[in-house]
Amino acid sequence: MDKIKMGYVGCGFMAQVVHIPNILNTPDIELVAIAEIREKLGKKIQEKYKIPKLFKDHLALAQDPEITAVGVSGHFVNQGEIAADLLLAGKNVFMEKPMAVSVKQAEKILQAEEKGGSRLMVAYMKRYDMGNELAKRIIDELKQTGNLGKIIYARNHGFCGRSWTAGGDSKYETTDEPIPATPEIKIDWLPEKYTNQYIGYLQQYTHNVNLIRYLLDSEKTPEVKFVDLDTDSYTGIVIFEVNNIRVAIESGTSSYYGWEEHTQVYFEHGWVKISSPPLFLRNAAANVEIYEGGDIQNFSIPFPGWGWSYKREIEHFADCLKNNKPFRSSGQDALNDVRFFENVFKMLVKKENLS
């Protein structure tokens, strides 16, 4: 099979700093087109990266028979609609998370995937971090051997910080063109006053829930047990179950000039802890630490290797298309995350209305 002829929709921050450079540096892909509704910005990016074709929007790009795959990054609401249009046109789609802002929208996207006969991968970059991959292999082996007993608890702590772009290229192209208007967000089950908080919590912590499901080998929607979030609907704790294992997500913001995010899976006699690097720190995988209890306690820090999760995810996309392999983060699997966050806020709304 020749190189995958790929297009990209959207030329904003994520496209310029992450996805377009990574696509251009993936040997199995040829970036042949971009689509950007801001004409001057589109021309700037086309010239900067010497991309053959520039389209005014994704619908025009979708008509190009040469293009077989398309990357999409845009507003959280609109990118799902763009993905559905491209899938219906028979294009394989690589899209930024979250897949959708509602189960209804997610199901529409999956219907488009089936009807168009194409495939959807959601860019859950944490699944492609070499440290997270190593941790999963270790957890799977410990489950099989029983050396640390059974899993009794898991948690993800994400207070983040101000360094999420550390290591990224701060210089990206802009123009004086107005930023495209934010699409109107209408979610039929959600009271309007919760909309911004719901979108904010969804887009930030969908990575964390997806990572927990990956580590615990779950292809099901986690069962929400308890929700305690502050009035910002962001800071607090959510407790849920994954494969009958109790899990907590600890969420919040911090002015810390670093990146405070770690995930820990506890066994009866030890644990596996993963500390995540800033998102844009290239070739810096998550740090993995193993604690083994008992009469002789042992700490070990295995080296996962060098690699950047954002680069590895697009390489995975290309490999799966060329070799007809399943995506590690498919659209069908990502539906579980969308359903989970709906259930979190349904519980939150119900709880606050009863108080």
Side-chain angles (χ1 to χ4, degrees):
M1 182 179 177
D2 294 331
K3 285 189 175 186
I4 297 163
K5 306 290 187 181
M6 190 165 181
Y8 202 90
V9 177
C11 293
F13 175 79
M14 284 297 294
Q16 292 184 49
V17 175
V18 177
H19 295 306
I20 288 177
N22 283 339
I23 290 169
L24 289 169
N25 285 293
T26 300
D28 288 331
I29 298 176
E30 181 181 356
L31 184 62
V32 298
I34 55 173
E36 173 56 60
I37 63 175
R38 290 167 287 184
E39 183 179 359
K40 288 192 287 185
L41 180 61
K43 288 181 178 178
K44 266 191 172 186
I45 302 307
Q46 181 186 27
E47 293 171 2
K48 180 176 181 177
Y49 294 106
K50 298 178 174 57
I51 300 169
K53 302 175 186 178
L54 171 62
F55 294 96
K56 64 178 182 178
D57 56 35
H58 73 282
L59 294 174
L61 182 147
Q63 300 305 310
D64 189 328
E66 180 187 30
I67 298 169
T68 61
V70 184
V72 180
S73 57
H75 187 275
F76 309 128
V77 178
N78 202 39
Q79 66 179 6
E81 300 302 311
I82 293 171
D85 289 339
L86 293 166
L87 289 163
L88 276 174
K91 310 300 184 185
N92 298 297
V93 172
F94 169 91
M95 72 175 295
E96 263 296 342
K97 59 80 192 171
M99 170 195 182
V101 297
S102 67
V103 170
K104 183 177 181 180
Q105 187 186 40
E107 289 175 341
K108 174 185 175 182
I109 295 168
L110 294 177
Q111 289 167 3
E113 179 184 33
E114 183 177 3
K115 187 172 182 180
S118 47
R119 301 172 65 192
L120 171 65
M121 175 176 154
V122 181
Y124 277 117
M125 38 76 72
K126 290 186 183 298
R127 289 197 176 199
Y128 304 93
D129 181 291
M130 295 177 73
N132 292 335
E133 290 177 339
L134 173 60
K136 177 169 172 54
R137 292 196 298 271
I138 293 168
I139 291 167
D140 287 346
E141 182 178 349
L142 288 170
K143 285 162 59 178
Q144 184 175 8
T145 63
N147 288 347
L148 295 183
K150 67 179 182 180
I151 298 175
I152 58 173
Y153 183 65
R155 63 188 281 265
N156 176 277
H157 177 87
F159 272 52
C160 305
R162 295 183 175 180
S163 70
W164 71 281
T165 58
D169 187 354
S170 60
K171 297 179 181 179
Y172 59 98
E173 302 295 338
T174 60
T175 65
D176 57 2
E177 297 166 292
I179 296 174
T182 301
E184 186 178 4
I185 304 171
K186 288 186 176 181
I187 302 172
D188 52 15
W189 57 266
L190 185 67
E192 188 174 349
K193 70 176 184 177
Y194 291 95
T195 300
N196 290 336
Q197 291 92 330
Y198 167 71
I199 296 298
Y201 190 80
L202 164 68
Q203 71 87 19
Q204 178 65 38
Y205 290 100
T206 188
H207 267 312
N208 306 57
V209 172
N210 186 270
L211 174 60
I212 287 286
R213 289 201 303 108
Y214 170 65
L215 294 173
L216 299 182
D217 201 26
S218 172
E219 297 180 354
K220 297 181 179 179
T221 304
E223 183 181 356
V224 182
K225 293 291 189 177
F226 178 76
V227 177
D228 185 14
L229 298 176
D230 289 349
T231 53
D232 62 1
S233 301
Y234 191 90
T235 304
I237 188 167
V238 173
I239 298 174
F240 54 100
E241 281 191 3
V242 176
N243 288 345
N244 297 316
I245 299 166
R246 184 183 294 111
V247 182
I249 293 285
E250 304 163 8
S251 60
T253 57
S254 170
S255 61
Y256 170 55
Y257 275 92
W259 188 253
E260 189 190 8
E261 180 186 355
H262 51 264
T263 304
Q264 204 157 355
V265 177
Y266 292 84
F267 292 79
E268 292 175 295
H269 308 298
W271 42 251
V272 177
K273 182 178 180 180
I274 312 162
S275 299
S276 299
L279 306 183
F280 293 170
L281 198 57
R282 291 163 171 77
N283 296 327
N287 182 70
V288 180
E289 183 180 71
I290 306 164
Y291 166 65
E292 299 169 274
D295 295 334
I296 301 177
Q297 299 181 62
N298 181 59
F299 286 89
S300 58
I301 304 175
F303 177 59
W306 303 109
W308 192 26
S309 54
Y310 282 114
K311 179 71 162 57
R312 290 168 57 78
E313 67 181 1
I314 194 64
E315 291 171 343
H316 176 85
F317 178 71
D319 179 51
C320 290
L321 289 184
K322 292 197 73 171
N323 297 295
N324 196 29
K325 297 194 296 188
F327 295 134
R328 187 180 298 173
S329 49
S330 67
Q332 188 64 52
D333 181 74
L335 172 61
N336 291 296
D337 302 310
V338 181
R339 186 177 290 116
F340 169 81
F341 283 94
E342 279 205 359
N343 291 341
V344 166
F345 267 73
K346 285 177 180 178
M347 184 174 288
L348 177 66
V349 171
K350 182 178 180 180
K351 177 181 175 181
E352 292 189 354
N353 287 340
L354 289 175
S355 61

